[in-house]
Amino acid sequence: AQTVTQSQPEMSVQEAETVTLSCTYDTSESNYYLFWYKQPPSRQMILVIRQEAYKQQNATENRFSVNFQKAAKSFSLKISDSQLGDTAMYFCAWGWSGGGADGLTFGKGTHLIIQP
Amino acid sequence: GAGVSQSPSNKVTEKGKDVELRCDPISGHTALYWYRQSLGQGLEFLIYFQGNSAPDKSGLPSDRFSAERTGGSVSTLTIQRTQQEDSAVYLCASSLDPGGPYNEQFFGPGTRLTVL
């Protein structure tokens, strides 16, 4: 079974700073996807960024980028120029590329607070 | 187009009562997922539907939980004889292609269930 670990229950930074959220995972699969989801107080889970394990290049989406270290099974999220709207719970998740029957495996989340 | 919708948004019930939670996936999405999010926890995968195929129910927490999907679209999650430990947010997600490159899961806003 896969496990996803987020070791930072809560983080707080000042607006415009850069922040990195950590995620490690354990799997014996070779083909899989990794995701970062954002959950604001509205409860709506929003996909922030996705990484395919077979791609060596780190994914980027505007202010969001990842540092994917496959051998170390590490998948951290970097948010640059943080904004007040980035305040939310952030969940790291693992998914098997062979099919969705097992759903996504989520970490317990990191509560990110952006201070004005 | 419309996103994933769930109803009700909030449900308060008494211990021992049955509840039904509804999920309307994005039109055209063949895969549908149910997750449970307990307070302060990540998402726990419950069950997956692919089209009209019979689901694997092994992820359901107990035999009091059941789920069905009619016509490959709308899904209902039923909890019989509710217990206080069933209190959680129940999230539904759908995806276009569960095993391929377009396997992003789109989440609904969830149903917050409170069992008194």
Side-chain angles (χ1 to χ4, degrees):
Chain A
Q2 282 61 235
T3 59
V4 177
T5 302
Q6 294 179 250
S7 59
Q8 304 152 312
E10 184 169 294
M11 296 187 70
S12 180
V13 299
Q14 296 296 123
E15 191 175 9
E17 289 184 348
T18 293
V19 60
T20 298
L21 308 183
S22 300
C23 172
T24 58
Y25 61 94
D26 191 22
T27 183
S28 58
E29 301 290 342
S30 57
N31 296 318
Y32 53 88
Y33 295 90
L34 294 163
F35 306 86
W36 278 99
Y37 277 90
K38 170 185 178 181
Q39 186 181 42
S42 66
R43 298 200 308 246
Q44 185 79 53
M45 296 281 283
I46 302 163
L47 180 65
V48 174
I49 199 163
R50 173 176 62 194
Q51 174 79 41
E52 291 142 327
Y54 66 88
K55 289 187 176 180
Q56 294 184 345
Q57 186 173 4
N58 289 324
T60 61
E61 288 287 344
N62 300 312
R63 298 184 294 109
F64 300 87
S65 62
V66 298
N67 183 4
F68 174 47
Q69 301 290 328
K70 190 173 183 179
K73 296 180 181 176
S74 172
F75 183 61
S76 61
L77 174 69
K78 185 172 82 170
I79 305 174
S80 303
D81 185 27
S82 57
Q83 300 174 0
L84 296 178
D86 294 334
T87 293
M89 285 292 296
Y90 286 82
F91 292 95
C92 179
W94 181 100
W96 184 46
S97 58
D102 294 328
L104 297 179
T105 300
F106 284 84
K108 292 189 175 182
T110 295
H111 185 204
L112 176 64
I113 301 169
I114 309 300
Q115 304 277 8
Chain B
V4 178
S5 61
Q6 292 186 247
S7 61
S9 178
N10 292 283
K11 176 71 175 179
V12 180
T13 190
E14 293 179 348
K15 178 181 173 181
K17 299 285 188 182
D18 297 351
V19 295
E20 275 193 0
L21 312 180
R22 177 187 169 102
C23 172
D24 280 275
I26 293 173
S27 178
H29 280 195
T30 61
L32 186 148
Y33 306 81
W34 283 98
Y35 294 88
R36 180 170 69 175
Q37 185 177 23
S38 302
L39 185 63
Q41 301 294 313
L43 278 69
E44 172 193 6
F45 169 68
L46 298 179
I47 195 167
Y48 157 76
F49 291 90
Q50 174 55 30
N52 293 319
S53 301
D56 176 359
K57 301 180 181 180
S58 61
L60 295 175
S62 77
D63 57 8
R64 297 184 295 103
F65 287 70
S66 62
E68 64 176 18
R69 188 179 187 188
T70 54
S73 180
V74 172
S75 177
T76 55
L77 177 68
T78 301
I79 309 173
Q80 296 178 311
R81 305 180 303 282
T82 52
Q83 303 295 312
Q84 289 182 332
E85 61 262 30
D86 298 334
S87 295
V89 174
Y90 290 83
L91 291 161
C92 174
S94 69
S95 71
L96 184 64
D97 180 1
Y102 304 106
N103 64 348
E104 175 184 348
Q105 293 188 19
F106 294 82
F107 283 81
T111 294
R112 181 180 297 279
L113 175 65
T114 303
V115 182
L116 301 177

